[in-house]
Amino acid sequence: MKRQLFIATSLSAALSGCGAIGTKLTENDRIHSILDAGENLDLALIGTHGLVREYSASDISAQFPINSLDTPSDATYVHLMRTAFASFRLVVDGIVGRPLTLSLAQLNAMPQTTQITRHDCVEGWSAVAQWGGVTLRDVVALARPLKGAGFIVFHTFDRDANGVPYYESLDFSQALHPQTLLALRQNGTPIPPDRGAPVRLKIPTQLGYKSAKWVRHIQIVPSLAHLFGGKGGYWEDQGYQWYAGI
């Protein structure tokens, strides 16, 4: 069953490509209804309920491919990178009782956790790494979400070649999962810039495109409809599934 669900997700990704055929198919309402049905099946059958397998240190992959938009090169990010992210602040706001502005020192002072899990890319490759950082649920709890909060949105430093910002989102069941991390370290060392420094999302229960890199702002909102393309993520706005469980 999981293989069939992965194929459905891969089909969604393939149809979102930039080629003429992909564009025509993604503009087809019937194709979208098929993909939406597959996503609902994924969510119903897999959901974000159990824990994914955790591996041993001997299973860590020697190579971990870099597969994303380019590392941010704007003046703000370059300055942060050159100063070891000393002035970086993670903003957490929206429908919350306690908006937060957290430095790396504050994030590192929170209870830390590690996991050795597999990263599954929608393109078909997998790699195992150790991730260390703060559980997302601990940060969300500090912000005290209010009544009406429905989704957690992750805004990042990166943009595509056309200047479109990268973003992702989760519902609360996914965000509060014990293995959903705001990762600060990969394989025991601070995450390097090309892999999402200083903070990246790590969601081992879903395909890799959900694990947004270069996270700068977490926004708690009632709905995703008003954000960018309204589908809950940069790739989702182009046809990928919002729920990408594995």
Side-chain angles (χ1 to χ4, degrees):
M1 175 61 74
K2 285 192 177 183
R3 174 173 169 78
Q4 292 173 336
L5 296 174
F6 175 79
I7 290 172
T9 304
S10 299
L11 174 61
S12 174
L15 294 181
S16 68
C18 296
I21 294 176
T23 301
K24 292 296 183 183
L25 287 174
T26 53
E27 291 172 352
N28 185 298
D29 290 340
R30 178 166 175 76
I31 290 295
H32 274 286
S33 68
I34 293 170
L35 294 176
D36 290 343
E39 180 178 350
N40 292 335
L41 181 63
D42 278 18
L43 184 56
L45 293 182
I46 298 178
T48 309
H49 310 299
L51 301 175
V52 301
R53 174 185 173 185
E54 297 207 18
Y55 295 79
S56 66
S58 62
D59 296 314
I60 293 175
S61 302
Q63 300 292 328
F64 197 104
I66 297 173
N67 188 15
S68 65
L69 299 180
D70 292 338
T71 301
S73 58
D74 62 280
T76 298
Y77 187 80
V78 169
H79 172 74
L80 287 171
M81 183 173 58
R82 288 175 176 171
T83 55
F85 300 100
S87 61
F88 170 81
R89 298 294 183 271
L90 176 66
V91 174
V92 186
D93 61 12
I95 305 178
V96 298
R98 184 189 180 195
L100 304 172
T101 303
L102 300 170
S103 67
L104 280 181
Q106 288 173 309
L107 288 168
N108 278 301
M110 293 180 66
Q112 301 291 296
T113 186
T114 61
Q115 59 176 250
I116 301 177
T117 51
R118 191 180 69 198
H119 180 98
D120 292 297
C121 180
V122 71
E123 293 182 352
W125 59 266
S126 298
V128 174
Q130 183 193 70
W131 303 95
V134 183
T135 62
L136 179 59
R137 65 182 181 181
D138 281 355
V139 173
V140 170
L142 279 180
R144 301 174 190 165
L146 300 176
K147 183 178 179 179
F151 298 90
I152 300 175
V153 179
F154 305 88
H155 301 278
T156 73
F157 284 105
D158 55 330
R159 295 172 177 265
D160 68 14
N162 296 316
V164 178
Y166 192 95
Y167 78 107
E168 256 303 340
S169 66
L170 300 171
D171 65 20
F172 273 80
S173 67
Q174 299 160 17
L176 303 185
H177 188 278
Q179 290 175 311
T180 300
L181 290 185
L182 290 176
L184 309 173
R185 294 173 297 282
Q186 182 178 1
N187 296 336
T189 61
I191 293 174
D194 59 0
R195 298 187 186 277
V199 178
R200 67 168 289 168
L201 196 57
K202 191 69 197 80
I203 312 172
T205 57
Q206 298 199 47
L207 290 171
Y209 64 84
K210 296 295 292 187
S211 292
K213 300 175 182 175
W214 306 294
V215 175
R216 62 175 179 81
H217 177 194
I218 296 173
Q219 181 184 23
I220 298 178
V221 299
S223 168
L224 301 174
H226 67 290
L227 293 167
F228 302 103
K231 300 297 184 180
Y234 174 86
W235 290 114
E236 290 88 330
D237 287 343
Q238 300 179 54
Y240 282 44
Q241 292 177 323
W242 176 76
Y243 179 75
I246 53 178

